[in-house]
Amino acid sequence: MIRKKRKWDDASDEDPGAGLLNLFDVWIAFAVALLLALVSYDTLAQKASTSRTVTVIKNEGTPEMEIITKEGQKMERYRASTETLGGDGERLGTAYRLKSGEVIYVPESAMPKSAPGP
């Protein structure tokens, strides 16, 4: 059986390293694309981190509890206090702690109080 000679058969006989060079070119292109993707991701992550709000609660349920809130570039810390506060105000509602540990706030009804009778 006689095999028909093709154009690329001659090229591969002359340069056995041509396939490796082509593979090297593909890997260089892949590395450059990966580098560009990482740089653009880092830039987008920095922009996104400045426009979102993050809240972290440290030592939850202990006297040393601390709430840290970051809004854009502004960061605020709130610490639990054992001080008793007082003053004038109005009752807004009631909070209940369930057996599961969840706290539910029930606001006072918005209905006007009835006038005292005669």
Side-chain angles (χ1 to χ4, degrees):
M1 177 180 233
I2 297 176
R3 186 170 166 205
K4 186 176 179 182
K5 195 166 192 167
R6 297 186 179 125
K7 293 179 192 177
W8 56 84
D9 286 337
D10 290 337
S12 65
D13 289 339
E14 293 173 9
D15 189 10
L20 291 175
L21 289 176
N22 288 338
L23 213 82
F24 179 75
D25 292 340
V26 169
W27 280 108
I28 290 293
F30 178 74
V32 168
L34 185 63
L35 183 65
L36 288 175
L38 288 173
V39 168
S40 65
Y41 175 77
D42 186 45
T43 304
L44 289 175
Q46 286 177 354
K47 288 180 183 178
S49 67
T50 58
S51 65
R52 65 181 177 162
T53 302
V54 178
T55 303
V56 177
I57 301 174
K58 292 172 65 176
N59 302 325
E60 185 176 353
T62 65
E64 295 86 27
M65 183 172 85
E66 185 176 5
I67 300 172
I68 303 169
T69 304
K70 181 181 178 196
E71 233 177 287
Q73 296 294 331
K74 183 179 176 184
M75 183 182 286
E76 294 181 4
R77 300 180 115 161
Y78 303 100
R79 292 195 174 114
S81 173
T82 57
E83 288 183 30
T84 303
L85 298 176
D88 294 331
E90 65 181 83
R91 184 176 173 165
L92 298 175
T94 308
Y96 298 96
R97 184 180 306 272
L98 302 178
K99 289 181 182 178
S100 65
E102 292 178 290
V103 177
I104 297 176
Y105 168 72
V106 180
E108 294 288 324
S109 65
M111 297 178 61
K113 296 180 181 177
S114 60

